[in-house]
Amino acid sequence: MGFFLETFFGGLMAGMLYSLIALGFVLIFKASGVFNFAQGAMVLFAALAMARFAEWVPQWLGTDSKLLANGVAFVLAMACMVAVAWLIERLCLSKLVNQEPIALLMATLGITYFLDGFGQTLFGSDIYKIDVGLPKDPMFLFEQTFPGGVLISQEDLAAAVIAAALVAVLALFFQKTATGRALRAVADDHQAAQSIGIPLSRIWVIVWSVAGFAALVAGIIWGSKLGVQFSLSQVALKALPVVILGGLTSVPGAIIGGLIIGVGEKLSEVYLGPMMGGGIEIWFAYVMALLFLLFRPQGLFGEKIIDRV
């Protein structure tokens, strides 16, 4: 039972990180009606910015304070993500208002490759480390209940708590604030939202900036765990099955979908992997997504689209 709980908790903690990235997909889809394939590239770009600014800031300020360096680096990296959001809206999205969804989809693919290349040109292509002080040592829980206790990674636990808090804040922002309501109005109908005075360009900059903030936090956490490298954008794409499972238009769905994928892939790898030769963790999420596309394409919490003729 102790080993099962270790695996289960590990899946929950990984699932919260998936949910954080998936939330960026959901926010942009709700605001623009397009599936943002660039979210993974945004995670990589944000992580590169954070890692490199954390190296450069102590030299610029002449300080040895890691806390100050990380704080300034975070602000500068976030400023980069806001600048990216503004440029995407100004140079790309504003030219495609009311166009077919496939046009916006192809635009995000172009943004993906641009951010992948430009990020490495600007910040370098080596493997970088992000150190924000997350605890690295494991700890044992329930030692009185199970022999040997339950081994939990403190780093994973801290990352999961941070991701959960941010997901909760973003969900409240989207549901309870005036800006969040404006985002939902834009998602329902661009032209109708414009007709009642909602500035489409400002809304798109805000939602891409929020998605950039989520990407930055996710990039810092994954970069702290795995190092900042090109494969980080591939890890971020694990959130694609999460939004398909939870529903493209549902913020709670992104959370529940991430937890299901995280727990499912860990348990499958541990308990089915030895019988099937391993590697289940790599493809489990995508098989789940395929099954949902076949039998429930709107996901668990997504809105079912009914076309009337």
Side-chain angles (χ1 to χ4, degrees):
M1 187 62 179
F3 180 68
F4 171 82
L5 288 177
E6 286 181 11
T7 307
F8 182 79
F9 287 145
L12 285 179
M13 290 183 283
M16 282 310 308
L17 296 180
Y18 294 154
S19 298
L20 178 59
I21 302 173
L23 197 59
F25 285 101
V26 172
L27 292 176
I28 290 178
F29 185 84
K30 286 177 74 69
S32 62
V34 64
F35 197 88
N36 177 31
F37 275 103
Q39 191 68 23
M42 290 170 66
V43 171
L44 173 62
F45 186 89
L48 281 171
M50 178 66 191
R52 297 300 277 160
F53 282 133
E55 291 181 13
W56 297 335
V57 165
Q59 302 172 21
W60 297 342
L61 300 182
T63 179
D64 294 327
S65 172
K66 184 176 292 185
L67 179 62
L68 176 61
N70 283 333
V72 175
F74 182 87
V75 171
L76 293 175
M78 188 61 224
C80 285
M81 299 311 294
V82 172
V84 166
W86 183 84
L87 289 172
I88 288 173
E89 190 284 325
R90 184 57 48 189
L91 302 178
C92 184
L93 296 182
S94 63
K95 314 298 182 184
L96 298 173
V97 175
N98 298 321
Q99 297 298 313
E100 293 295 324
I102 188 63
L104 287 167
L105 175 64
M106 296 304 296
T108 66
L109 286 174
I111 293 168
T112 298
Y113 289 108
F114 172 76
L115 288 179
D116 277 344
F118 183 67
Q120 293 179 75
T121 299
L122 195 62
F123 299 113
S125 57
D126 292 334
I127 298 177
Y128 303 104
K129 185 66 176 176
I130 294 178
D131 183 8
V132 291
L134 292 179
K136 301 291 185 180
D137 296 329
M139 63 180 179
F140 290 91
L141 302 177
F142 309 117
E143 293 182 83
Q144 304 301 320
T145 306
F146 305 104
V150 176
L151 181 65
I152 299 293
S153 168
Q154 291 191 66
E155 183 179 30
D156 288 346
L157 181 60
V161 170
I162 293 170
L166 183 57
V167 166
V169 169
L170 292 179
L172 288 174
F173 164 78
F174 199 80
Q175 297 295 329
K176 301 298 183 181
T177 66
T179 301
R181 289 190 290 271
L183 293 176
R184 296 202 302 274
V186 170
D188 290 337
D189 192 316
H190 293 171
Q191 291 179 323
Q194 287 179 301
S195 69
I196 61 173
I198 296 177
L200 191 60
S201 60
R202 183 171 66 87
I203 291 298
W204 274 357
V205 169
I206 290 174
V207 76
W208 278 80
S209 297
V210 172
F213 177 64
L216 175 57
V217 175
I220 291 172
I221 294 173
W222 282 111
S224 176
K225 288 165 59 67
L226 306 175
V228 181
Q229 51 191 309
F230 184 76
S231 62
L232 199 62
S233 62
Q234 307 303 315
V235 173
L237 289 180
K238 185 66 73 71
L240 291 176
V242 171
V243 294
I244 293 173
L245 182 65
L248 286 170
T249 59
S250 174
V251 171
I255 302 169
I256 301 300
L259 296 178
I260 292 174
I261 292 294
V263 171
E265 68 180 16
K266 295 294 184 185
L267 291 177
S268 298
E269 182 66 33
V270 169
Y271 290 101
L272 298 180
M275 294 182 290
M276 301 178 62
I280 295 179
E281 193 172 357
I282 298 174
W283 52 259
F284 174 85
Y286 299 97
V287 171
M288 285 284 291
L290 177 60
L291 292 175
F292 268 79
L293 288 174
L294 291 174
F295 299 105
R296 190 178 174 84
Q298 73 271 23
L300 291 173
F301 302 95
E303 300 172 359
K304 190 171 184 178
I305 300 175
I306 302 175
D307 291 326
R308 293 181 172 87
V309 294

